[in-house]
Amino acid sequence: MRYVSTRGQAPAVGFVDAVLGGLAPDGGLYVPEAWPQISPAEIAGFADMPYAEVAARVIGAFADHEISHADLLEMCQEAYSTFTHSAVAPLTQLQPGLFIAELFHGPSLAFKDVAMQILARLYDHLLSAQGRRQTILCATSGDTGGAAVEAFRGRKSVRVVALFPEGRISEVQRRFMTTATESNIACVAVKGSFDDCQAIVKNAFQDQILRQAVDLSGVNSINFARIAAQAVYYFTTAASLGAPGRKVSFCVPSGNFGDAFAGYAAHKMGLPVAKILVATNSNDVLAKAFEDGRYARGKLTPTMSPAMDIQSASNFERLYFECVGREATETARAFEAFAKSGSIDLPPAAFARMRELFRGVAVSEADTTRTMVSTLNQTGELIDPHTAVAVAALRRAELDGPVVVMSTAHPAKFPEDVAKATGVTPELPRGIADLAKRPERFDRLPAEAETIKAYVHAFAEG
Ligand SMILES: *Cc1c(COP(=O)(O)O)cnc(C)c1O
């Protein structure tokens, strides 16, 4: 299986290079040359298979012969044994025909764990085979950093430097990063915004000297392995509800569009999907793209669902590439123009193709609060603000068949907002109940690229 860049100016590579490389060297994103297929009989069989076995099958379809099935299965079993629920992504019913897939039973209580746990093991496996040691630099608006630290702590082949904007993430989010005691982890509170952190990471990746000196790598949501790992729970949840005999719809709280794009991938691999509803908060760039045919970034507004406070959804480039008939020249033109002007008018044929599968709805803060309250009153389930955005979006859309809402965070990750809305303070699961008492360890640095690059260099040497 070869992976091509959406911008067409980078050589095709295998799965291993696509995963370790992250972004393609021409600035595009890797996509498989052709979508691997999973037969209806196999999909039906997923209904009662252990999650790790389905994961090894689905990720294995992308890895092809580059990783042995036995190795991949072992990595998947280890990765998903860190989850506190044996089903890994269990379904809970909210009302007839409406289910939530709880994707938050991993170590950092957010769905990012589903991909990051396997990604860390893939990195360790592939890098130790090559005798390499990489440095992962990541900027986080909250959940990616915690998931990355949980997944990579103590791993021999990888060091992690996590940058977060000081004072702009929740205490629980910060503590998932800063309480790690392993020496391969460094956390930095940056005196600036998340955008400042992201700009510094971008600057570091463009610095060829630093890049080579520390063998820099990234695990943000453009890494194709994350898409492959996230496609798995579309298969397992749909199979539980009768796929492939029954078409299922999905509703996905979206920011960078990685989760929802994984649903598209599952669909292209043969899973019958009725519709995917892309739910956003008031940062509605994706909702507008799917409803109005115009992808245009606006002003960033902070909300209760901070993991979705995004105005440029990196993975949208993958869908665009697919829907313009895989025309890399056109995709490169469109996204270079977007970088400059901040908007793309979707070509009518591409927009029509997107609408075959996708719909979008944006949800206000008031609606998010009301939905946390009504869900608790009607079902007894406490849901987090990101999940509430998706449930609220669903109330304003008509979808066919049974619907699965992707529940991307545990309510205890956002205790203040959940308690303010519902009057109920969610409790941390057993095992991490002492999170607030564990000692923290992090450094504070100004939002200056040179200072932070020097820090990364020194940490990698030390
Ligand atoms: C990252 C995240 C999202 C958004 O997922 P994307 O793949 O970026 O669209 C939604 N909810 C939570 C809790 C997240 O951490």
Side-chain angles (χ1 to χ4, degrees):
M1 175 80 51
R2 310 293 288 169
Y3 290 79
V4 296
S5 165
T6 51
R7 302 204 184 175
Q9 297 299 306
V13 296
F15 180 75
V16 170
D17 289 331
V19 171
L20 295 181
L23 200 67
D26 61 356
L29 280 71
Y30 286 117
V31 285
E33 211 163 45
W35 292 100
Q37 296 297 305
I38 298 202
S39 72
E42 259 192 293
I43 294 171
F46 289 165
D48 46 19
M49 258 163 82
Y51 188 90
E53 284 179 29
V54 182
R57 171 67 183 104
V58 172
I59 300 168
F62 288 108
D64 211 356
H65 61 276
E66 289 187 63
I67 302 173
S68 81
H69 181 72
D71 285 346
L72 195 55
L73 182 60
E74 193 183 323
M75 287 186 263
C76 288
Q77 281 167 338
E78 249 189 66
Y80 296 114
S81 70
T82 66
F83 281 58
T84 55
H85 196 298
S86 63
V88 180
L91 287 174
T92 296
Q93 187 161 14
L94 291 191
Q95 67 186 53
L98 173 56
F99 301 83
I100 60 175
E102 297 179 356
L103 305 178
F104 52 69
H105 293 285
S108 79
L109 307 185
F111 95 104
K112 304 274 189 316
D113 290 325
V114 178
M116 210 65 88
Q117 284 294 324
I118 184 68
L119 191 64
R121 287 162 175 90
L122 277 171
Y123 262 71
D124 229 15
H125 178 79
L126 301 173
L127 290 172
S128 58
Q130 297 182 6
R132 268 166 87 183
R133 189 150 191 230
Q134 283 195 318
T135 304
I136 288 173
L137 180 59
C138 96
T140 182
S141 63
D143 290 330
T144 302
V149 167
E150 281 293 339
F152 285 95
R153 55 197 256 180
R155 301 209 166 268
K156 288 196 259 330
S157 312
V158 184
R159 305 175 193 83
V160 176
V161 179
L163 308 179
F164 63 89
E166 180 157 32
R168 310 217 189 164
I169 63 176
S170 85
E171 181 183 342
V172 178
Q173 285 179 319
R174 187 187 71 234
R175 285 182 166 274
F176 272 116
M177 287 183 268
T178 56
T179 58
T181 53
E182 289 79 358
S183 63
N184 70 325
I185 304 291
C187 300
V188 181
V190 176
K191 292 192 181 69
S193 67
F194 171 60
D195 285 338
D196 293 332
C197 296
Q198 259 193 319
I200 291 165
V201 169
K202 217 167 182 182
N203 180 311
F205 272 92
Q206 281 158 357
D207 183 334
Q208 295 306 328
I209 296 172
L210 177 75
R211 218 177 149 151
Q212 295 202 343
V214 306
D215 200 348
L216 207 57
S217 182
V219 290
N220 50 15
S221 74
I222 49 96
N223 195 306
F224 190 79
R226 285 182 57 178
I227 304 289
Q230 289 164 188
V232 176
Y233 48 73
Y234 285 87
F235 282 101
T236 58
T237 54
S240 301
L241 296 174
R246 206 151 62 134
K247 274 194 181 181
V248 176
S249 289
F250 294 93
C251 176
V252 190
S254 296
N256 247 330
F257 197 57
D259 196 358
F261 186 77
Y264 173 87
H267 176 60
K268 294 301 273 188
M269 294 170 83
L271 184 71
V273 177
K275 283 281 179 297
I276 297 176
L277 179 63
V278 174
T280 71
N281 59 31
S282 46
N283 297 289
D284 58 0
V285 44
L286 282 170
K288 281 212 174 113
F290 291 119
E291 293 308 302
D292 307 342
R294 187 152 192 274
Y295 177 67
R297 68 172 170 248
K299 201 176 156 308
L300 195 80
T301 317
T303 70
M304 279 183 282
S305 45
M308 294 149 66
D309 292 348
I310 286 173
Q311 286 287 347
S312 146
S314 333
N315 281 288
F316 188 67
E317 180 168 338
R318 288 190 160 113
L319 184 68
Y320 189 91
F321 176 73
E322 289 275 299
C323 292
V324 294
R326 299 197 146 216
E327 284 287 342
T329 318
E330 163 53 21
T331 308
R333 184 207 60 76
F335 284 85
E336 277 155 22
F338 177 78
K340 289 200 194 85
S341 72
S343 74
I344 301 173
D345 286 307
L346 303 177
F351 180 52
R353 277 200 200 142
M354 290 180 189
R355 295 275 298 177
E356 287 170 12
L357 192 62
F358 290 99
R359 293 287 184 276
V361 168
V363 172
S364 69
E365 292 291 273
D367 212 1
T368 306
T369 299
R370 272 197 299 274
T371 304
M372 282 192 269
V373 175
S374 62
T375 303
L376 181 63
N377 290 342
Q378 290 159 15
T379 71
E381 295 291 331
L382 209 50
I383 56 173
D384 98 290
H386 301 77
T387 309
V389 166
V391 173
L394 200 55
R395 307 240 184 268
R396 292 204 266 125
E398 278 173 31
L399 296 184
D400 299 327
V403 182
V404 174
V405 171
M406 295 306 181
S407 180
T408 49
H410 192 291
K413 206 148 184 193
F414 302 93
E416 293 87 4
D417 286 319
V418 172
K420 208 166 120 198
T422 64
V424 179
T425 302
E427 278 181 33
L428 282 169
R430 266 179 312 169
I432 43 174
D434 68 337
L435 189 68
K437 297 200 191 81
R438 296 181 194 170
E440 291 189 85
R441 180 174 63 95
F442 63 93
D443 293 300
R444 284 195 178 82
L445 293 176
E448 295 165 7
E450 292 311 317
T451 310
I452 289 174
K453 286 194 294 184
Y455 175 94
V456 172
H457 203 161
F459 178 64
E461 306 264 281

